[in-house]
């Protein structure tokens, strides 16, 4: 019997790449379920909510409980609703992120001069003027957060810039660092995951699995869980050998969970 009660599982680069299911993903999910582990999907994609992943993975015959899905966007929305419920939020990001915030009853504004909170994230239509508006907002806002630190994200066509690139540009233009990152690998993200699983205070019973050292593996190490890096996404075995972070396990695909959890 496995000693794990739950698995926190990344999505992009771990289960899928773009619209393609990665080799071993189906076997890995089945191994988690056969071991009796609860599974929570946690993506650092800030533009999507739980329903998207339920639909996206069902196309590959993978059943997903939407209550067991977190993203950096949904965590950001919940965090800001709890900590800044009345604040005017200026977003450098995409419309789907704004929708997630508005669903949490947050006041998303267009005028940067009225910003109390600034949230930076991926924006594939970012312009020079957008950075100017971010500067105006950051000169006034009391708080500055980022959804996630992913400088790049994997796609079918290769790596493309992610939220971390935009946030770094905002920090540079305003000469101001973020007050916090809300997605992986932050404590805020870890707390949200453990709360959703009902395993607060039980990191030794949880395994974090993902393809990034600086988000997935660091999340688990900060939280005190065991970790498994899969080399189907961003990080390779050579990256692991050169890094300060050392995963508990390194897997060539998610299918190796069958032996690990069996």
């Amino acid at each position: 019997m496995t000693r794990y009660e739950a698995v926190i599982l990344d999505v992009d680069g771990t289960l899928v790449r773009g619209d393609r299911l990665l080799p071993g993903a189906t076997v890995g999910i089945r191994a988690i379920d056969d071991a009796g582990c609860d599974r929570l999907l946690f993506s650092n994609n800030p533009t999507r909510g739980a329903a998207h992943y339920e639909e996206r993975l069902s196309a590959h015959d993978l059943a997903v409980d939407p209550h067991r899905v977190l993203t950096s966007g949904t965590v950001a929305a919940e965090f800001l609703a709890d900590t800044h419920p009345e604040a005017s939020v200026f977003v450098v990001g995409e419309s789907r992120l704004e929708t997630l915030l508005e669903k949490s009853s947050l006041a998303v504004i267009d005028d940067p001069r009225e910003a109390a909170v600034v949230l930076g994230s991926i924006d594939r239509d970012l312009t020079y003027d957008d950075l100017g508006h971010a500067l105006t907002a950051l000169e006034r806002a009391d708080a500055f957060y980022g959804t996630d630190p992913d400088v790049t994200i994997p796609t079918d066509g290769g790596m493309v810039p992610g939220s971390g690139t935009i946030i770094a540009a905002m920090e540079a233009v305003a000469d101001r660092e973020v007050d916090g990152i809300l997605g992986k690998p932050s404590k805020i993200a870890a707390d949200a995951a453990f709360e959703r699983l009902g395993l607060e205070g039980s990191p030794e019973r949880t395994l974090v699995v993902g393809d990034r050292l600086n988000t997935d593996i660091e999340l688990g190490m900060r939280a005190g869980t065991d970790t498994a890096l899969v080399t189907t996404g961003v990080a390779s075995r050579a990256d692991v050998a050169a890094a300060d972070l050392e995963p508990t396990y390194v897997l060539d695909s998610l299918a190796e969970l069958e032996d690990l959890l069996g």
Side-chain angles (χ1 to χ4, degrees):
M1 293 290 291
T2 179
R3 65 190 182 94
Y4 302 117
E5 293 187 15
V7 177
I8 298 172
L9 190 65
D10 180 52
V11 181
D12 293 289
T14 302
L15 285 171
V16 294
R17 182 184 289 272
D19 294 327
R20 179 170 57 90
L21 189 69
L22 288 169
T26 301
V27 175
I29 290 292
R30 186 171 61 242
I32 294 170
D33 294 344
D34 288 349
C37 294
D38 199 357
R39 54 178 159 95
L40 173 76
L41 301 187
F42 198 151
S43 169
N44 254 2
N45 185 342
T47 68
R48 295 294 192 176
H52 167 76
Y53 288 100
E54 181 184 21
E55 179 180 351
R56 183 180 177 190
L57 294 176
S58 68
H60 301 291
D61 296 321
L62 295 179
V64 173
D65 177 357
H67 186 66
R68 290 290 191 266
V69 179
L70 291 176
T71 72
S72 63
T74 60
V75 170
E78 292 173 7
F79 173 82
L80 294 179
D82 288 341
T83 58
H84 304 277
E86 306 298 328
S88 298
V89 182
F90 183 80
V91 178
V92 177
E94 300 186 355
S95 60
R96 286 193 296 250
L97 173 59
E98 294 182 350
T99 298
L100 291 175
L101 300 176
E102 289 168 345
K103 285 182 178 178
S104 290
S105 300
L106 289 159
V108 178
I109 59 167
D110 295 324
D111 189 343
R113 295 168 298 179
E114 298 177 359
V117 174
V118 175
L119 180 64
S121 187
I122 189 173
D123 186 348
R124 280 160 280 208
D125 295 318
L126 186 76
T127 67
Y128 182 86
D129 287 342
D130 290 330
L131 277 179
H133 296 324
L135 173 58
T136 299
L138 287 167
E139 288 174 337
R140 293 160 171 77
D142 297 323
F144 173 27
Y145 298 106
T147 54
D148 63 277
D150 292 359
V151 176
T152 59
I153 52 177
T155 71
D156 281 334
M159 304 300 290
V160 298
S163 299
T165 302
I166 308 299
I167 295 165
M170 295 170 66
E171 290 179 318
V173 75
D175 192 23
R176 176 178 176 179
E177 293 184 355
V178 289
D179 298 314
I181 293 292
L182 305 180
K184 297 180 292 186
S186 71
K187 184 178 185 301
I188 293 163
D191 288 347
F194 282 117
E195 180 181 359
R196 188 64 61 90
L197 288 165
L199 289 174
E200 298 96 324
S202 302
E204 72 282 353
R205 289 148 55 191
T206 305
L207 177 68
V208 175
V209 182
D211 69 309
R212 286 180 180 266
L213 287 163
N214 68 329
T215 54
D216 304 307
I217 303 309
E218 188 166 342
L219 174 82
M221 294 184 73
R222 287 185 183 185
T225 74
D226 283 355
T227 57
L229 180 98
V230 288
T231 59
T232 51
V234 172
S236 65
R237 286 183 179 270
D239 294 325
V240 174
D244 293 331
L245 297 173
E246 185 176 353
T248 313
Y249 313 100
V250 180
L251 313 177
D252 290 324
S253 84
L254 211 62
E256 293 182 25
L257 286 179
E258 193 170 39
D259 293 330
L260 179 60
L261 298 178

